[in-house]
Coordinates of all heavy atoms in Angstrom, one line a residue:
L1 N -47.5 -21.9 -37.9 CA -47.8 -22.8 -36.8 C -46.5 -23.1 -36.1 O -46.6 -23.1 -34.8 CB -48.3 -24.2 -37.3 CG -49.8 -24.3 -37.6 CD1 -50.2 -23.6 -38.8 CD2 -50.3 -25.7 -37.6
G2 N -45.4 -23.3 -36.7 CA -44.2 -23.7 -36.1 C -43.6 -22.7 -35.1 O -43.1 -23.0 -34.1
H3 N -43.8 -21.4 -35.3 CA -43.3 -20.4 -34.4 C -44.1 -20.5 -33.1 O -43.5 -20.1 -32.0 CB -43.3 -19.0 -35.0 CG -44.5 -18.2 -34.8 ND1 -45.7 -18.4 -35.6 CD2 -44.9 -17.1 -34.0 CE1 -46.6 -17.6 -35.2 NE2 -46.1 -16.8 -34.2
L4 N -45.3 -20.9 -33.1 CA -46.1 -21.1 -31.9 C -45.7 -22.4 -31.3 O -45.6 -22.5 -30.0 CB -47.5 -20.9 -32.1 CG -48.0 -19.5 -32.4 CD1 -49.3 -19.5 -33.1 CD2 -48.0 -18.7 -31.2
A5 N -45.5 -23.5 -32.1 CA -45.1 -24.8 -31.5 C -43.9 -24.7 -30.8 O -43.7 -25.3 -29.7 CB -45.1 -25.8 -32.7
L6 N -42.9 -24.0 -31.3 CA -41.6 -23.8 -30.7 C -41.9 -23.2 -29.3 O -41.2 -23.6 -28.3 CB -40.8 -23.0 -31.5 CG -39.3 -22.7 -31.1 CD1 -38.6 -24.0 -30.8 CD2 -38.6 -21.7 -32.0
Q7 N -42.7 -22.2 -29.2 CA -42.9 -21.5 -27.9 C -43.6 -22.4 -26.9 O -43.4 -22.5 -25.7 CB -43.7 -20.3 -28.1 CG -43.0 -19.2 -28.9 CD -43.8 -18.0 -29.2 OE1 -44.2 -17.2 -28.3 NE2 -44.3 -17.8 -30.5
Y8 N -44.6 -23.3 -27.4 CA -45.3 -24.2 -26.5 C -44.2 -25.3 -26.0 O -44.4 -25.7 -24.9 CB -46.5 -24.8 -27.2 CG -47.6 -23.8 -27.4 CD1 -48.1 -23.8 -28.7 CD2 -48.0 -22.9 -26.5 CE1 -49.1 -22.8 -29.0 CE2 -49.0 -22.0 -26.7 CZ -49.6 -22.0 -28.0 OH -50.6 -21.1 -28.3
A9 N -43.4 -25.7 -26.9 CA -42.4 -26.7 -26.5 C -41.6 -26.1 -25.3 O -41.3 -26.9 -24.3 CB -41.6 -27.2 -27.6
R10 N -41.2 -24.9 -25.4 CA -40.4 -24.2 -24.4 C -41.2 -24.1 -23.1 O -40.7 -24.3 -22.0 CB -40.0 -22.9 -24.9 CG -38.8 -23.0 -25.8 CD -38.4 -21.6 -26.5 NE -38.2 -20.6 -25.6 CZ -37.1 -20.4 -24.9 NH1 -36.1 -21.2 -25.2 NH2 -36.9 -19.4 -24.0
I11 N -42.5 -23.8 -23.2 CA -43.4 -23.7 -22.0 C -43.5 -25.0 -21.3 O -43.5 -25.1 -20.1 CB -44.8 -23.2 -22.4 CG1 -44.7 -21.7 -22.9 CG2 -45.8 -23.3 -21.3 CD1 -46.0 -21.2 -23.5
F12 N -43.5 -26.1 -22.2 CA -43.6 -27.4 -21.6 C -42.3 -27.9 -20.9 O -42.2 -28.9 -20.3 CB -44.0 -28.5 -22.7 CG -45.4 -28.4 -23.0 CD1 -46.2 -27.2 -23.0 CD2 -46.1 -29.6 -23.5 CE1 -47.6 -27.2 -23.3 CE2 -47.4 -29.6 -23.9 CZ -48.2 -28.4 -23.8
G13 N -41.2 -27.1 -21.1 CA -40.0 -27.4 -20.5 C -39.0 -28.2 -21.3 O -38.0 -28.7 -20.8
A14 N -39.3 -28.4 -22.6 CA -38.5 -29.3 -23.5 C -37.2 -28.6 -24.0 O -37.3 -27.4 -24.1 CB -39.3 -29.8 -24.6
E15 N -36.2 -29.4 -24.3 CA -35.1 -28.9 -25.1 C -35.6 -28.8 -26.6 O -36.2 -29.9 -27.0 CB -34.0 -29.9 -25.0 CG -32.7 -29.6 -25.8 CD -31.6 -30.6 -25.7 OE1 -31.7 -31.5 -24.9 OE2 -30.7 -30.6 -26.5
T16 N -35.4 -27.8 -27.2 CA -36.0 -27.6 -28.5 C -35.1 -27.6 -29.7 O -34.0 -27.1 -29.6 CB -36.8 -26.2 -28.6 OG1 -36.0 -25.2 -28.2 CG2 -38.0 -26.3 -27.6
I17 N -35.5 -28.2 -30.8 CA -34.8 -28.3 -32.1 C -35.7 -27.7 -33.2 O -36.8 -28.2 -33.4 CB -34.4 -29.7 -32.5 CG1 -33.7 -30.4 -31.2 CG2 -33.6 -29.7 -33.7 CD1 -33.6 -31.9 -31.4
A18 N -35.3 -26.7 -33.7 CA -36.1 -26.0 -34.8 C -35.5 -26.3 -36.2 O -34.3 -26.3 -36.4 CB -36.2 -24.5 -34.6
V19 N -36.3 -26.7 -37.2 CA -35.9 -27.2 -38.5 C -36.7 -26.3 -39.5 O -37.9 -26.2 -39.5 CB -36.1 -28.6 -38.7 CG1 -35.5 -28.9 -40.2 CG2 -35.4 -29.5 -37.7
D20 N -35.9 -25.7 -40.5 CA -36.6 -25.1 -41.6 C -35.6 -25.0 -42.8 O -34.5 -25.5 -42.7 CB -37.0 -23.7 -41.3 CG -38.3 -23.2 -42.0 OD1 -38.1 -22.8 -43.2 OD2 -39.4 -23.2 -41.4
V21 N -36.1 -24.4 -43.9 CA -35.3 -24.3 -45.1 C -35.1 -22.9 -45.6 O -34.7 -22.7 -46.8 CB -35.9 -25.2 -46.3 CG1 -35.8 -26.7 -45.9 CG2 -37.3 -24.8 -46.5
T22 N -35.5 -22.0 -44.8 CA -35.4 -20.5 -45.3 C -34.6 -19.7 -44.2 O -34.8 -19.9 -43.0 CB -36.7 -19.8 -45.6 OG1 -37.5 -19.8 -44.4 CG2 -37.6 -20.6 -46.6
D23 N -33.8 -18.8 -44.7 CA -33.1 -18.0 -43.7 C -33.8 -17.3 -42.7 O -33.5 -17.2 -41.6 CB -32.1 -17.1 -44.5 CG -31.1 -17.8 -45.3 OD1 -30.8 -18.9 -45.1 OD2 -30.6 -17.1 -46.3
D24 N -34.9 -16.6 -43.1 CA -35.7 -15.8 -42.2 C -36.4 -16.6 -41.1 O -36.5 -16.2 -40.0 CB -36.7 -14.9 -43.0 CG -37.7 -15.7 -43.8 OD1 -37.4 -16.8 -44.1 OD2 -38.8 -15.2 -44.1
K25 N -36.8 -17.9 -41.5 CA -37.5 -18.7 -40.5 C -36.5 -19.3 -39.5 O -36.7 -19.4 -38.4 CB -38.2 -19.9 -41.1 CG -39.3 -19.4 -42.3 CD -40.4 -18.7 -41.5 CE -41.4 -18.2 -42.6 NZ -41.9 -19.1 -43.5
L26 N -35.3 -19.6 -40.0 CA -34.2 -20.0 -39.1 C -33.8 -18.9 -38.1 O -33.5 -19.2 -36.9 CB -33.0 -20.5 -40.0 CG -33.2 -21.7 -40.8 CD1 -32.1 -21.9 -41.8 CD2 -33.4 -22.9 -40.0
A27 N -33.7 -17.8 -38.7 CA -33.5 -16.6 -37.8 C -34.6 -16.4 -36.7 O -34.3 -16.0 -35.6 CB -33.2 -15.3 -38.6
L28 N -35.8 -16.6 -37.2 CA -36.9 -16.4 -36.2 C -36.8 -17.4 -35.1 O -37.1 -17.2 -34.0 CB -38.3 -16.6 -37.0 CG -39.5 -16.6 -36.2 CD1 -39.7 -15.2 -35.4 CD2 -40.7 -16.8 -37.1
A29 N -36.4 -18.7 -35.5 CA -36.3 -19.7 -34.4 C -35.2 -19.3 -33.4 O -35.5 -19.6 -32.2 CB -35.9 -21.0 -35.2
R30 N -34.2 -18.8 -33.8 CA -33.1 -18.4 -33.0 C -33.7 -17.2 -32.1 O -33.4 -17.2 -30.8 CB -31.9 -17.8 -33.7 CG -31.2 -18.9 -34.5 CD -29.9 -18.5 -35.1 NE -29.3 -19.5 -35.9 CZ -29.5 -19.6 -37.3 NH1 -30.2 -18.8 -37.9 NH2 -28.9 -20.6 -37.8
E31 N -34.4 -16.3 -32.6 CA -34.9 -15.2 -31.9 C -35.9 -15.7 -30.8 O -36.0 -15.1 -29.7 CB -35.7 -14.3 -32.9 CG -36.4 -13.1 -32.3 CD -37.1 -12.3 -33.3 OE1 -36.9 -12.4 -34.4 OE2 -38.0 -11.5 -32.8
L32 N -36.7 -16.8 -31.1 CA -37.6 -17.3 -30.2 C -37.0 -18.3 -29.2 O -37.7 -18.8 -28.3 CB -38.8 -18.1 -31.0 CG -39.6 -17.1 -31.8 CD1 -40.6 -17.9 -32.7 CD2 -40.4 -16.1 -30.9
G33 N -35.7 -18.4 -29.3 CA -35.0 -19.2 -28.2 C -34.9 -20.7 -28.5 O -34.6 -21.4 -27.5
A34 N -34.9 -21.1 -29.7 CA -34.7 -22.5 -29.9 C -33.3 -23.0 -29.5 O -32.3 -22.2 -29.6 CB -34.8 -22.9 -31.4
D35 N -33.1 -24.0 -28.8 CA -31.9 -24.6 -28.3 C -31.0 -25.0 -29.4 O -29.8 -24.9 -29.4 CB -32.1 -25.6 -27.3 CG -32.9 -25.2 -26.1 OD1 -32.3 -24.4 -25.4 OD2 -34.0 -25.8 -25.8
H36 N -31.5 -25.5 -30.5 CA -30.8 -26.0 -31.7 C -31.6 -25.6 -32.9 O -32.8 -25.7 -32.9 CB -30.6 -27.5 -31.7 CG -30.1 -28.1 -30.4 ND1 -28.7 -28.1 -30.0 CD2 -30.7 -28.6 -29.3 CE1 -28.7 -28.6 -28.8 NE2 -29.9 -28.9 -28.4
V37 N -30.9 -25.1 -33.9 CA -31.5 -24.7 -35.2 C -30.8 -25.4 -36.3 O -29.6 -25.3 -36.5 CB -31.4 -23.1 -35.4 CG1 -32.1 -22.8 -36.7 CG2 -32.1 -22.4 -34.2
L38 N -31.6 -26.1 -37.1 CA -31.0 -26.9 -38.2 C -31.6 -26.5 -39.6 O -32.8 -26.1 -39.7 CB -31.4 -28.4 -38.1 CG -30.9 -29.0 -36.8 CD1 -31.3 -30.5 -36.7 CD2 -29.3 -28.9 -36.7
D39 N -30.7 -26.3 -40.5 CA -31.1 -25.9 -42.0 C -31.2 -27.2 -42.7 O -30.2 -27.9 -43.1 CB -30.0 -24.9 -42.5 CG -30.3 -24.4 -43.8 OD1 -31.2 -25.0 -44.5 OD2 -29.8 -23.4 -44.3
A40 N -32.4 -27.6 -43.1 CA -32.6 -28.8 -43.8 C -32.0 -28.8 -45.2 O -31.9 -29.8 -45.8 CB -34.1 -29.2 -43.9
R41 N -31.6 -27.6 -45.8 CA -31.0 -27.5 -47.1 C -29.6 -28.1 -47.1 O -29.2 -28.6 -48.1 CB -31.0 -26.1 -47.5 CG -32.4 -25.4 -47.7 CD -32.3 -24.0 -48.0 NE -31.7 -23.2 -46.8 CZ -31.6 -21.9 -46.7 NH1 -32.1 -21.2 -47.7 NH2 -31.1 -21.4 -45.6
T42 N -28.9 -27.8 -46.0 CA -27.5 -28.2 -46.0 C -27.1 -29.2 -44.9 O -25.9 -29.6 -44.8 CB -26.7 -26.8 -45.7 OG1 -27.1 -26.3 -44.4 CG2 -27.0 -25.8 -46.7
Q43 N -28.1 -29.5 -44.0 CA -27.7 -30.5 -43.0 C -28.6 -31.8 -43.0 O -29.8 -31.7 -43.5 CB -27.9 -29.9 -41.6 CG -26.9 -28.7 -41.3 CD -27.2 -28.0 -40.0 OE1 -28.2 -27.2 -40.0 NE2 -26.5 -28.3 -39.0
D44 N -28.2 -32.8 -42.7 CA -28.9 -34.1 -42.6 C -29.6 -34.0 -41.2 O -28.9 -34.3 -40.2 CB -28.0 -35.3 -42.6 CG -28.7 -36.6 -42.7 OD1 -29.8 -36.8 -41.9 OD2 -28.2 -37.6 -43.2
V45 N -30.9 -33.7 -41.2 CA -31.6 -33.4 -40.0 C -31.6 -34.6 -39.1 O -31.3 -34.6 -37.9 CB -33.0 -32.9 -40.4 CG1 -33.9 -32.9 -39.0 CG2 -33.0 -31.6 -41.0

């Protein structure tokens, strides 16, 4: 769901923040153009 939600947020013109706990999903968020990517394992979201 989230990889599509991120794309819709961008379509709506929003500044986007993607949060996940796995390396591949964080990489996917960057690939899809998230403005900010946070790793909930190591960062206080």
Side-chain angles (χ1 to χ4, degrees):
L1 277 76
H3 87 284
L4 289 163
L6 181 58
Q7 294 176 70
Y8 292 130
R10 287 170 53 81
I11 289 170
F12 283 32
E15 178 184 349
T16 53
I17 306 164
V19 181
D20 209 284
V21 293
T22 63
D23 294 339
D24 59 337
K25 303 293 174 57
L26 296 168
L28 177 59
R30 295 186 184 94
E31 180 186 338
L32 292 172
D35 296 300
H36 311 278
V37 178
L38 300 179
D39 185 343
R41 295 170 299 186
T42 59
Q43 294 173 282
D44 182 329
V45 171

